Amino acid sequence: MTIRFYQPAEWHPHSACWLAFPSHVELWDDLLPAARAEFVELCRAIADPDPVTGEARGEQLEILVLDADGQAIAEQMLGTIPARFHHHAFGDIWMRDIAPIFLVHPTEGLATVRFQFNGWGDRYHLPGDDTVAPAIARWVDAPEFTIALVAEGGALEVDGEGTCLTTRQCLLNPNRNPHLTQDEVERLLHMALGVSKVIWLQEGLLNDHTDGHIDTLARFVAPGVVVCMEAQDPNDPNRDTLNQVATDLAKATDASGRRLHVIRIPSPGPVLDHQGNLMPASYVNFYIGNRSVVVPTYGTAYDDAAVAAIASCFPTRRTIGLSAKAILAGGGAFHCITQQQPSV
């Protein structure tokens, strides 16, 4: 099977952003109100509603809710932020991984692709998660491709010009693709995403239950340009991992043969949950919207410097730092809970 579509870079214009409203008390417990509040501020930054007309100047929000009661709560919390709602079962809010990846073609328009989903290496099997991607494909009335590879959207980062970043810890993990070699995984990624070069990093942050998703390690900010983090705190437990990421990226070339330009930004350092456990906090888990770049912050001494460093990479967009510590307690941040639908 040959797919003639490709996944554009995230800075490509979007027609919409897909999200899911935090809904499951049994998953979030006492953090549900805080996670919902952070979700609302993210939505506001992405939609960027006009203060006079209330219309979205950024991008259309497409939000999954469980039912009419869930929609009523979401509407009340969003207030004047414009959004469309879709009733559908979902396990939780990690749309980067459970929604489809959107592809484009210069003449054939939009399509979607979905990989095999096994609950992040058989860790979390939540009812509804495996039905979200085909439902969205139907709603947008786009061709749907399926790929015989266990993977999640957060494990894949593209530049829109033929290059994909990922990690061996995730895609070559025995809990995902034990029967596939690295070359076989690469061939499937070439077909699925329209890429011709895969750059492999080794492993991810400590306590990352996704097994090293790339969107907490390194992100493209322009063709040939990547950002990754650098430990500033002397007690940063990810110091060696972050240094290895930067070293490997500096040695890499993209699909066009360019040596990657690597920009290092601060790491948050140790960020602990309410029980004192280390969380996989990352500033590179930002979302690149049409008008705004939304950076997760965690209340550390490095928040402002990280937001400023990311802002310098996007001079034509407004860069906003917003709290994501409650959402992080669920396992991820802003990039993890969004999935962009590119314009065609």
Side-chain angles (χ1 to χ4, degrees):
M1 178 177 64
T2 299
I3 299 176
R4 294 174 294 168
F5 295 79
Y6 74 97
Q7 183 186 10
E10 196 164 312
W11 54 83
H12 178 97
H14 306 164
S15 63
C17 177
W18 288 83
L19 306 105
F21 184 67
S23 302
H24 299 81
V25 176
E26 67 275 17
L27 298 177
W28 291 94
D29 294 324
D30 293 342
L31 287 173
L32 184 58
R36 284 175 166 173
E38 290 177 348
F39 176 90
V40 168
E41 291 311 304
L42 170 66
C43 288
R44 190 187 314 279
I46 294 172
D48 191 17
D50 185 285
V52 177
T53 66
E55 295 181 357
R57 297 177 298 183
E59 49 203 84
Q60 174 68 50
L61 302 178
E62 306 282 359
I63 301 178
L64 269 60
V65 292
L66 295 176
D67 49 32
D69 290 341
Q71 179 173 336
I73 297 170
E75 287 178 330
Q76 181 181 26
M77 292 199 67
L78 288 167
T80 59
I81 303 171
R84 286 196 293 246
F85 296 95
H86 305 265
H87 294 194
H88 196 275
F90 58 90
D92 206 358
I93 63 175
W94 313 112
M95 292 291 277
R96 184 63 48 177
D97 299 335
I98 64 174
I101 292 174
F102 290 93
L103 310 175
V104 298
H105 185 277
T107 60
E108 297 183 33
L110 189 72
T112 69
V113 64
R114 62 182 169 105
F115 296 92
Q116 307 305 303
F117 181 70
N118 74 345
W120 300 277
D122 288 322
R123 280 189 178 85
Y124 307 102
H125 287 285
L126 303 176
D129 276 350
D130 58 353
T131 66
V132 169
I136 292 176
R138 292 193 303 271
W139 290 332
V140 300
D141 192 23
E144 181 188 29
F145 302 104
T146 59
I147 301 295
L149 174 72
V150 177
E152 306 89 37
L156 306 165
E157 171 74 6
V158 301
D159 66 352
E161 296 189 358
T163 312
C164 176
L165 293 174
T166 192
T167 68
R168 292 184 174 89
Q169 182 188 3
C170 186
L171 291 196
L172 301 184
N173 198 306
N175 66 17
R176 284 174 174 78
N177 298 293
H179 58 296
L180 296 177
T181 66
Q182 180 171 308
D183 286 345
E184 289 170 331
V185 171
E186 287 191 13
R187 285 196 290 272
L188 289 169
L189 292 176
H190 294 174
M191 178 174 62
L193 305 178
V195 298
S196 57
K197 174 73 178 285
V198 179
I199 298 173
W200 293 89
L201 302 181
Q202 292 297 330
E203 61 183 25
L205 304 177
L206 292 173
N207 290 354
D208 176 6
H209 60 232
T210 69
D211 299 305
H213 271 190
I214 193 69
D215 65 358
T216 64
L217 292 177
R219 300 286 306 283
F220 282 110
V221 295
V225 185
V226 291
V227 296
C228 61
M229 295 185 294
E230 182 174 19
Q232 307 289 313
D233 191 305
N235 298 315
D236 194 320
N238 290 299
R239 179 181 301 274
D240 292 344
T241 295
L242 298 180
N243 286 338
Q244 188 64 55
V245 165
T247 297
D248 292 345
L249 288 171
K251 295 177 181 177
T253 55
D254 66 11
S256 299
R258 294 172 292 206
R259 181 79 65 181
L260 293 180
H261 174 53
V262 180
I263 299 172
R264 299 195 74 177
I265 67 172
S267 162
V271 177
L272 308 180
D273 66 16
H274 62 286
Q275 296 178 327
N277 300 313
L278 181 72
M279 295 191 288
S282 172
Y283 293 126
V284 303
N285 201 256
F286 52 78
Y287 178 76
I288 307 171
N290 285 346
R291 290 170 59 94
S292 304
V293 177
V294 193
V295 182
T297 60
Y298 308 101
T300 80
Y302 310 104
D303 285 353
D304 291 345
V307 173
I310 294 169
S312 69
C313 299
F314 297 99
T316 64
R317 288 173 166 87
R318 177 182 59 152
T319 298
I320 307 166
L322 294 175
S323 173
K325 193 170 181 180
I327 290 175
L328 178 64
F334 294 149
H335 197 252
C336 299
I337 69 171
T338 52
Q339 183 61 274
Q340 70 276 3
Q341 179 179 331
S343 300
V344 292

